[in-house]
Amino acid sequence: MGIFKPEIECASRNYLRALQSARLIKMVRNAYDHVPFYKRLLDEKGVSPEDIRSIDDITKLPFTVKQDLRDNYPFGLFAVEKDKLARIHASSGTTGKQTVVGYTQHDIDAWSDGAARALVAAGATKNDKVHVSYGYGLFTGGLGLHYGAEYMGATTIPVSSGNTKRQVQILQDFESDILCCTPSYAMFIGETIRDMGIDPKSLKLRAGIFGAEPWTDNMRKEIEKLLDIKAYDIYGLSEIAGPGVAYNCECQDGLHVCEDYFYPEVVDPDTLEVLPDGEFGELVFTCIGKEALPLIRYRTRDIASITHEKCACGRTTVRMSKPKGRSDDMLIIRGVNVFPSQVEHVLLELGLTANYLIIVDRKNNLDTMEVQVEMLPEMFSDTVKGLENTEKRIEGALQSTLNVHAKVRLLEPGSLARSEGKAKRVIDNRTEVTY
């Protein structure tokens, strides 16, 4: 596999630290001078830009959370004049105001660079056609991979999401090489190809880059089987830069962080103390390479770990683990922490589909949890007693993994709504929130 920017991706740790230190110093000065919110925050903490002399001083700085972006809606955290903005994006959050993100042309180039690194790490070349099925618009997914593909010289096919049979036809007729979309939509495309009687080996497609929602290694294997490709993970969030913050290489042993633009930390979500390599905690990023929205120690709510060990692929950049959940989509069921990704892992371990829905409720002051799972087509021949036994078997496996009881209900294939973007996995009737 190629490396898009070896002078950074394979740089020495001393070089990376020197680069990060210089960029952090510049970024903090920019934020202090041009963002009243950060000037107030640093003044309250008794920290001045002169106190930041190297990347080691980052722990002197305060944290930023999503609510800060909402409180300063829409442009209160921007550090440049509006005429310097090349683009504005916004998140599609389920609660509260949208979080608005601005980019200068420099920021767009940096984002494109990160997405290009992800594409090249997945084996993309200038001769390939990149089929982008992320949504376009204010959502950062589509344009992130679009510009990344153009930046590294590939041909971009901006299909966006939806009209799945047409997607399949384009994959066939345009001979797409790389597919980019959410993992749940990749599953849907794969199911559609199967149901249309098309042999995935007949497609030119050889790799996929999937992100924007949690997914497990078991789901990766299912996608690879359905589409006959190798599936790569990509990480990003709109507040930081969209897809391209971190990405899989061919080793698929964590995700390489573009740490020349985004400095990662992992902190204890309760004490906010920085944790050592290998320990799971809340992932925090500081945007040391951005001009328009220079977020300082932004708490992502993603639960992950990082390592500075050199990867077998030759890259030296920090690797983050695949997030095992989010502290803000974590369910607390009768005092037990449950992540939807854990449920998905159990279902796929049992050879079932990744099409499921978790319904949480409260009855007689007690939390209840039901997991609705689509049956496989071959399960239709089972007797009622056989299906009940399967439900019990799934319930036992979930109990063993989650340490909490969940009622399981098998549904007919295709009965749960398919998603062209982020799949809705949870309905929490205790708070009337769907996500």
Side-chain angles (χ1 to χ4, degrees):
M1 296 291 181
I3 297 177
F4 183 66
K5 190 167 281 189
E7 68 273 19
I8 292 294
E9 296 178 79
C10 302
S12 71
R13 292 308 312 171
N14 286 339
Y15 176 83
L16 286 170
R17 284 179 56 80
L19 180 65
Q20 290 165 343
S21 295
R23 289 185 172 180
L24 178 67
I25 292 167
K26 181 179 179 181
M27 186 273 266
V28 171
R29 169 54 70 185
N30 183 39
Y32 188 85
D33 288 347
H34 298 105
V35 185
F37 167 80
Y38 277 127
K39 184 179 188 307
R40 184 177 71 252
L41 217 57
L42 266 67
D43 287 347
E44 289 173 354
K45 200 172 173 64
V47 178
S48 73
E50 288 73 24
D51 296 324
I52 308 303
R53 299 182 180 90
S54 79
I55 197 66
D56 293 331
D57 294 322
I58 198 166
T59 55
K60 297 177 182 178
L61 297 170
F63 291 93
T64 309
V65 296
K66 179 170 282 193
Q67 190 60 42
D68 294 329
L69 280 86
R70 290 176 176 149
D71 290 345
N72 290 277
Y73 176 90
F75 307 131
L77 293 187
F78 287 9
V80 298
E81 296 297 324
K82 294 185 181 66
D83 62 356
K84 297 290 195 298
L85 294 173
R87 195 191 304 164
I88 293 174
H89 280 281
S91 72
S92 55
T94 55
T95 59
K97 292 180 179 177
Q98 294 186 102
T99 52
V100 180
V101 187
Y103 302 82
T104 64
Q105 187 57 53
H106 164 85
D107 297 338
I108 293 292
D109 291 342
W111 180 15
S112 302
D113 182 17
R117 295 181 200 181
L119 284 158
V120 173
T125 72
K126 294 181 179 180
N127 298 321
D128 286 330
K129 299 185 186 75
V130 179
H131 183 113
V132 182
S133 293
Y134 285 107
Y136 280 67
L138 288 176
F139 172 61
T140 55
L143 286 170
L145 270 302
H146 180 116
Y147 273 70
E150 291 186 345
Y151 196 78
M152 53 84 62
T155 300
T156 309
I157 307 175
V159 190
S160 194
S161 58
N163 200 341
T164 306
K165 288 187 177 180
R166 176 170 167 266
Q167 299 261 0
V168 175
Q169 183 179 350
I170 291 173
L171 288 172
Q172 289 179 304
D173 297 347
F174 291 14
E175 298 185 325
S176 309
D177 299 283
I178 312 291
L179 173 64
C180 304
C181 62
T182 61
S184 56
Y185 193 45
M187 286 279 291
F188 189 22
I189 292 173
E191 292 171 345
T192 303
I193 288 171
R194 179 196 63 201
D195 295 344
M196 291 172 68
I198 297 169
D199 182 355
K201 294 184 187 302
S202 68
L203 300 177
K204 196 165 179 283
L205 203 64
R206 69 173 188 277
I209 298 179
F210 309 122
E213 63 186 7
W215 57 306
T216 61
D217 281 333
N218 281 330
M219 189 171 184
R220 181 204 302 273
K221 293 172 187 174
E222 188 68 19
I223 290 171
E224 289 180 338
K225 184 172 70 174
L226 279 169
L227 292 171
D228 190 40
I229 61 172
K230 187 164 183 178
Y232 294 83
D233 205 348
I234 190 169
Y235 175 85
L237 58 165
S238 61
E239 301 93 308
I240 303 300
V245 173
Y247 53 89
N248 271 156
C249 66
E250 71 267 24
C251 299
Q252 296 183 322
D253 184 18
L255 293 92
H256 292 273
V257 178
C258 294
E259 58 174 315
D260 50 327
Y261 299 126
F262 317 107
Y263 183 79
E265 301 172 272
V266 172
V267 303
D268 183 304
D270 297 319
T271 67
L272 300 182
E273 291 296 315
V274 178
L275 297 175
D277 278 18
E279 288 197 24
F280 279 87
E282 184 176 338
L283 194 60
V284 172
F285 282 107
T286 298
C287 300
I288 57 174
K290 287 180 67 177
E291 295 176 337
L293 187 65
L295 291 181
I296 295 175
R297 303 190 85 190
Y298 183 76
R299 297 180 59 183
T300 67
R301 303 296 184 183
D302 285 324
I303 304 300
S305 67
I306 60 174
T307 179
H308 287 76
E309 290 184 2
K310 183 177 179 180
C311 183
C313 73
R315 290 176 177 85
T316 55
T317 46
V318 165
R319 279 172 290 149
M320 57 175 275
S321 68
K322 177 190 282 289
K324 68 175 185 178
R326 287 174 56 86
S327 59
D328 59 355
D329 75 5
M330 179 180 72
L331 296 165
I332 302 178
I333 311 295
R334 296 192 290 279
V336 177
N337 296 342
V338 175
F339 289 104
S341 58
Q342 293 175 296
V343 173
E344 177 184 288
H345 175 79
V346 169
L347 296 177
L348 290 171
E349 278 285 318
L350 294 174
L352 297 162
T353 75
N355 296 314
Y356 68 95
L357 179 67
I358 301 169
I359 300 177
V360 183
D361 213 330
R362 182 165 290 141
K363 297 178 182 177
N364 299 322
N365 295 318
L366 290 176
D367 293 338
T368 63
M369 178 176 169
E370 179 179 283
V371 180
Q372 298 180 355
V373 187
E374 286 188 2
M375 290 185 284
L376 298 168
E378 58 266 31
M379 293 170 67
F380 266 124
S381 60
D382 289 356
T383 63
V384 172
K385 186 66 175 176
L387 294 176
E388 289 176 350
N389 288 339
T390 299
E391 288 175 341
K392 294 296 183 187
R393 182 165 59 93
I394 300 170
E395 287 177 0
L398 289 172
Q399 174 83 44
S400 176
T401 297
L402 306 177
N403 294 314
V404 67
H405 175 72
K407 177 178 174 55
V408 171
R409 185 153 67 94
L410 292 173
L411 306 177
E412 291 183 5
S415 55
L416 290 176
R418 295 297 192 268
S419 172
E420 295 168 356
K422 292 188 180 183
K424 290 180 171 58
R425 298 300 193 194
V426 178
I427 297 176
D428 191 340
N429 290 321
R430 298 172 302 178
T431 56
E432 298 182 350
V433 171
T434 302
Y435 57 90

